[in-house]
């Protein structure tokens, strides 16, 4: 990996500083809950096979380390992070460390005093970020080292994804993986020379402690600074060459059929037949992969591979929904599973997971007709509306994994979500009438969800012993089997279980809640607008579409600068539920524009309100102006001015926990071309796909969302036009018919007969389409050639889903 491991160790005299042991990923083994947060956007749970975690030690370190003081010490004095808005930075505002936020003040100090920069990156709901803050950054001795010998900089990766991506690229290239907290040492010119993830505070049997790392880097900076600088420059040059994505001499992207088949075969090889998913432990939800499989099925319906793709996606979604990665009591999904069975999760809940999984389960319902999937989608959105929604329509970022088991106690991971048998028995003591043996509601629920007296969490998944005797609810039997076991009616069992879960939910309200990251990000709000819009459209529920509309209104009101036409990356919840911004504002990155544009296009198709489509076009124009690479094709992740000083300007080339913004942009450009007929959008899409040709050819499974876009570009996009009054019942019936069918490569257009309307001005051929006998009428058009007029939703469905 760039030959960097050798010089890291030799220069610093450290055994791969900050890079831990590659953890075993053999199934049916389990993945301990306490590994540091890994970067799921690199390597693969179902993608590149060389991904492994950077970990510290399987042995928990004592909190605080040598010379530490409890966080409750009354003499704490805030550092300059107290003036920041980020919840993550504020968590470090009382550290005895002279922290700086990312900015020119810190860089100038490093250059003036000729000191290395210590950059620490994380986010507010990150378990291992909490651990390192408690063990090391609250330690007075470590705080003095960081303040006297380094310029220490804290970054919230969700505020500055560009900074995170640049230095994560370095960490992954010079180690066995990446994750958070990410800790990197930089030259005053911001070039990295050492990096890693979590460090324990003191030396252990297999690990060098953080204090030792600091002392050795300080020594080497004084004695061998020139060597460090030379090696840093060499690695930066290599990373520049390695990360370049450009059209080069290529004129066209690769064959979609070839990329599709290769991507499917790579997924098929890594598929878990029993539990679904595409990796051994840990298992991450991978909506981009499921979306690819559904698209692959649609274009290969009559083949064995097509049926296989559908089965892989549906089985994975069902096993996830039955597993402990889903919160059966409060709904929503946790971040990932620590085992192959989707049983014991890492308990944090992220907005971007909820948004994408709502769409995936809605698509599964479109394809299968099984209400199991639509119920899961509705449950996800119910959780978001209750727990992650601002009163003005925006959506919060995440809920933490950790919380105190009881008020005043030290937080523990999963404490809010787990149950003992005794708790359930006390909450659900009612006898179940009609059972073939003595049975209480609690016993029925415990049987169905696999609760045991000793707890159902393996000690290997709980190395700190925090969850002894605790249980994670996970569906062990079908309703039919549970009913048969006790001689009960299936519907009676369903009612009893739902009643029991509701009682557990009400009881859980009295527990201390996990920390809420109330920061609001434009990108993730865009994804959530899509989640509500798509699910509401598929299920025909205006209430859900209204949530999407309110989310879009929030973005326009609070995260859009009318004067410049630019999006803001972040806003924050202030006192009394007000909305606040940082000063100066944090401007949007590529993903903010791409995900918001997608959300607006989905919202237009769900609501037929053309104002959202018009705003999407304006945002796309701004995105092109700020991020497009006119030389090499594709979009950079950040504005050139905003990323000034960073050693790399990257184009995200991985569909991971979130899709690559370039992949989403490719889809957006195709849809915008379908809505407007503007050839520029199609030309840009072709250039983008051509720029990523080599990456797709080399590892298509790393870019399943872009492979989907490639297929869409090389097929003919359907323009489904409904001529009618938006509020009329017959128009709504045709629109709902379209939404009920899985058709990913289409745009849905409402033509209301007004020649001066926005869409009529964009697509002149709409004026030639007429209502039949004054009824709402549908046309399915390709290349401006349209089908015969259709007024019957059943006939339209037959045409769309032969």
């Amino acid at each position: 990996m760039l030959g960097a491991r050798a010089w890291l160790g030799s220069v610093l005299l450290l055994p791969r500083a900050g890079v831990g042991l590659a953890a075993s990923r053999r199934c049916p083994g389990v993945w301990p809950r306490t590994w540091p947060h890994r970067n799921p956007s690199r390597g693969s749970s179902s993608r590149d096979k060389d991904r492994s975690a950077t970990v510290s030690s399987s042995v928990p370190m004592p909190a605080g380390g040598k010379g530490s003081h409890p966080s409750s010490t009354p003499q704490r004095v805030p550092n300059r992070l107290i003036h920041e808005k980020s919840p993550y930075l504020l968590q470090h505002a009382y550290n005895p460390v002279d922290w700086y936020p990312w900015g020119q003040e810190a860089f100038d100090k490093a250059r003036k005093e000729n000191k290395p920069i210590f950059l620490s990156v994380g986010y507010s709901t990150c378990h291992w970020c909490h651990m390192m803050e408690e063990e090391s950054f609250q330690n007075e001795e470590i705080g003095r080292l960081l303040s006297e010998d380094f310029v220490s900089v804290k970054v919230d990766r969700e505020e500055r994804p560009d900074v995170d991506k640049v230095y994560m690229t370095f960490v992954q290239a010079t180690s066995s993986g990446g994750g958070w907290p990410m800790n990197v040492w930089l030259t005053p010119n911001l070039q990295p020379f050492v990096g890693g993830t979590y460090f324990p505070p003191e030396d252990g049997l297999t690990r060098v402690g953080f204090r030792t790392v600091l002392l050795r880097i300080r020594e080497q900076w004084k004695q061998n600074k020139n060597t460090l600088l030379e090696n840093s420059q060499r690695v930066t040059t290599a990373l520049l060459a390695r990360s370049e994505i450009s059209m080069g001499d290529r004129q066209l992207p690769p064959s979609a059929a070839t990329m599709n088949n290769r991507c499917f075969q790579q997924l098929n090889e890594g598929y878990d037949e029993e539990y679904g998913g595409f990796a051994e432990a840990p298992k991450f939800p991978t909506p981009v992969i499921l979306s690819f499989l559904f698209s692959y099925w649609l274009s290969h319906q009559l083949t064995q591979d097509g049926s296989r793709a559908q089965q892989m996606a549906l089985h994975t979604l069902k096993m996830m929904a039955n597993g402990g990665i889903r919160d059966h009591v409060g709904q929503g999904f946790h971040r990932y599973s620590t085992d192959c069975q989707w049983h014991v999760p890492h308990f944090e809940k992220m907005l971007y997971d909820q948004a994408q999984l709502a769409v995936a389960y809605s698509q599964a319902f479109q394809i299968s007709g099984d209400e199991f999937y639509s119920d899961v989608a509705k449950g996800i959105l119910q959780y978001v509306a209750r727990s992650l929604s601002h009163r003005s329509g925006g959506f919060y970022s995440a809920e933490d994994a950790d919380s105190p088991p009881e008020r005043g106690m030290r937080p523990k991971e999963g404490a809010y979500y787990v149950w003992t048998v005794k708790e359930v028995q006390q909450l659900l003591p009612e006898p179940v009438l009609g059972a073939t043996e003595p049975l209480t509601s609690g016993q029925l629920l415990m049987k169905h969800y696999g609760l045991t007296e000793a707890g159902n969490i393996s000690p290997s998944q709980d190395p700190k012993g925090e969850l002894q005797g605790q249980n994670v609810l996970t569906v062990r039997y079908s309703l039919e089997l549970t009913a048969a076991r006790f001689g009960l009616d299936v519907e009676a069992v369903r009612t009893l279980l739902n009643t029991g879960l509701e009682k557990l939910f009400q009881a859980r309200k009295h527990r201390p809640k996990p920390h809420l990251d109330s920061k609001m990000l434009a990108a993730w709000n865009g994804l959530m607008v899509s989640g509500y819009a798509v699910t509401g459209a598929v299920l025909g529920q205006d209430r859900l579409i209204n949530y999407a509309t309110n989310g879009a209104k929030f973005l326009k009101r609070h995260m859009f600068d009318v004067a410049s036409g630019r999006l803001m990356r972040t806003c924050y919840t202030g006192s009394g539920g007000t909305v606040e911004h940082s000063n100066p504002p944090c401007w949007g990155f590529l993903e903010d524009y791409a995900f918001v544009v997608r959300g607006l296009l989905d919202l237009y198709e769900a609501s037929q309100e053309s104002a959202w489509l018009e705003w999407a076009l304006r945002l796309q124009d701004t995105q092109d102006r700020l991020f497009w690479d006119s030389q090499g094709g594709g979009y950079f992740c950040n504005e050139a001015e905003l990323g000034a000083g960073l050693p790399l300007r990257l184009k995200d080339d991985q569909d991971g926990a979130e899709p690559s913004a370039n992949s989403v942009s490719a889809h957006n450009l195709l849809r915008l071309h379908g809505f407007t007929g503007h050839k520029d959008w199609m030309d840009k899409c072709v250039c983008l796909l051509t720029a990523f040709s080599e990456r797709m050819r080399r590892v298509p499974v790393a870019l399943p969302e872009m492979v989907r876009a490639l297929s869409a570009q090389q097929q003919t996009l359907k323009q489904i036009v409904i001529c009618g009054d938006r509020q009329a019942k017959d128009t709504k019936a045709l629109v709902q018919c379209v939404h009920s069918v899985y058709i990913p490569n289409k745009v849905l257009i409402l033509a209301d007969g007004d020649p001066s309307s926005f869409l009529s001005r964009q697509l002149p051929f709409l004026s030639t389409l007429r209502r039949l006998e004054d009824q709402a009428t549908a046309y399915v058009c390709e290349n401006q050639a349209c089908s015969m007029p259709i007024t019957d939703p059943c006939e339209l469905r037959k045409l769309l889903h032969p």
Side-chain angles (χ1 to χ4, degrees), residues 246-274:
S246 175
M247 290 187 294
D249 296 330
R250 293 179 290 271
Q251 300 297 316
L252 292 171
S255 159
T258 301
M259 294 301 99
N260 255 296
N261 290 330
R262 287 185 59 198
C263 188
F264 171 74
Q265 293 303 329
Q266 289 177 352
L267 290 172
N268 193 31
E269 289 168 8
Y271 178 65
D272 183 339
E273 295 284 353
E274 186 172 4

Side-chain angles (χ1 to χ4, degrees), residues 212-452:
T212 301
V213 172
L214 291 173
L215 290 171
R216 294 188 183 176
I217 292 178
R218 179 182 71 176
E219 177 186 356
Q220 292 301 316
W221 184 259
K222 291 177 179 177
Q223 296 181 1
N224 297 308
K225 182 173 66 175
N226 289 338
T227 303
L228 288 177
L229 294 174
E230 289 169 7
N231 282 315
S232 175
Q233 181 60 53
R234 181 164 58 86
V235 172
T236 300
T237 301
L239 286 173
L240 277 168
R242 171 175 159 171
S243 62
E244 183 181 8
I245 294 174
S246 175
M247 290 187 294
D249 296 330
R250 293 179 290 271
Q251 300 297 316
L252 292 171
S255 159
T258 301
M259 294 301 99
N260 255 296
N261 290 330
R262 287 185 59 198
C263 188
F264 171 74
Q265 293 303 329
Q266 289 177 352
L267 290 172
N268 193 31
E269 289 168 8
Y271 178 65
D272 183 339
E273 295 284 353
E274 186 172 4
Y275 296 106
F278 303 90
E280 299 170 355
K283 273 186 176 172
F284 289 86
T286 50
V288 289
I289 288 175
L290 301 172
S291 182
F292 167 81
L293 290 171
F294 284 147
S295 291
Y296 187 87
W297 160 77
L298 188 65
S299 57
H300 297 76
Q301 288 186 67
L302 302 180
T303 69
Q304 186 174 353
D305 282 351
S307 299
R308 169 73 169 168
Q310 184 201 59
Q311 180 268 332
M312 288 161 64
L314 292 177
H315 182 60
T316 297
L317 285 166
K318 183 154 282 191
M319 295 305 291
M320 284 169 49
N322 286 334
I325 191 173
R326 180 183 174 202
D327 178 3
H328 294 275
V329 173
Q331 298 303 313
F333 280 78
H334 300 294
R335 179 72 278 269
Y336 61 82
S337 173
T338 64
D339 52 63
C340 296
Q341 297 92 345
W342 305 106
H343 176 202
V344 180
H346 171 59
F347 289 92
E348 72 180 319
K349 290 180 173 179
M350 308 300 295
L351 182 67
Y352 59 78
D353 283 326
Q354 317 310 320
Q356 295 176 91
L357 287 170
V359 172
Y361 279 98
S362 298
Q363 292 173 337
F365 171 67
Q366 281 180 310
I367 290 165
S368 69
D370 188 342
E371 290 186 0
F372 172 87
Y373 298 107
S374 60
D375 287 344
V376 176
K378 287 186 285 188
I380 293 170
L381 299 183
Q382 179 186 29
Y383 159 70
V384 173
R386 182 183 67 245
S387 299
L388 294 180
S389 292
H390 187 275
R391 67 186 186 189
S392 298
F395 302 105
Y396 303 133
S397 294
E399 284 191 307
D400 209 331
D402 300 7
S403 61
E406 296 178 18
R407 300 194 188 284
M409 295 180 67
R410 188 172 181 270
K412 295 181 179 180
E413 183 172 2
Y416 188 70
Y417 299 102
V418 294
W419 300 89
T420 64
V421 163
K422 182 179 179 181
E423 286 174 315
V424 175
Q425 288 174 331
Q426 289 176 342
L427 288 166
L428 304 174
E430 306 87 358
V432 175
L433 301 178
T436 54
E437 60 187 74
L439 182 71
T440 67
S441 295
Q443 289 170 329
L444 177 70
L445 186 141
M446 290 187 291
K447 183 70 174 179
H448 188 73
Y449 288 102
L451 280 69
T452 68

Side-chain angles (χ1 to χ4, degrees), residues 751-769:
D752 60 6
D754 179 1
S756 65
S757 70
F758 174 74
L759 278 167
S760 294
R761 286 182 278 117
Q762 302 294 322
L763 297 170
F765 83 92
L766 294 180
S767 63
T768 66
L769 305 180

Side-chain angles (χ1 to χ4, degrees), residues 35 52 59 66 155 184 354 425 450 733:
W35 295 127
S52 55
V59 181
K66 185 182 292 185
V155 167
V184 187
Q354 317 310 320
Q425 288 174 331

Side-chain angles (χ1 to χ4, degrees), residues 649-677:
R649 193 180 183 207
L650 299 174
K651 299 174 186 173
D652 193 9
D653 62 349
Q654 185 91 18
D655 293 321
E658 303 163 61
S660 157
N662 271 287
S663 297
V664 173
S665 293
H667 285 281
N668 291 346
L669 291 168
L670 287 172
R671 294 172 76 181
L672 289 168
H673 174 257
F675 280 121
T676 66

Side-chain angles (χ1 to χ4, degrees), residues 715-721 743 745-746 765 779-787 799-800:
Q715 297 169 4
T716 303
L717 178 133
K718 285 184 171 68
Q719 293 168 304
I720 303 173
V721 183
I743 321 169
N745 191 23
K746 64 100 172 61
F765 83 92
Y779 298 85
V780 179
C781 306
E782 297 181 18
N783 295 323
Q784 297 190 15
C786 297
S787 68
L799 180 62
L800 297 175

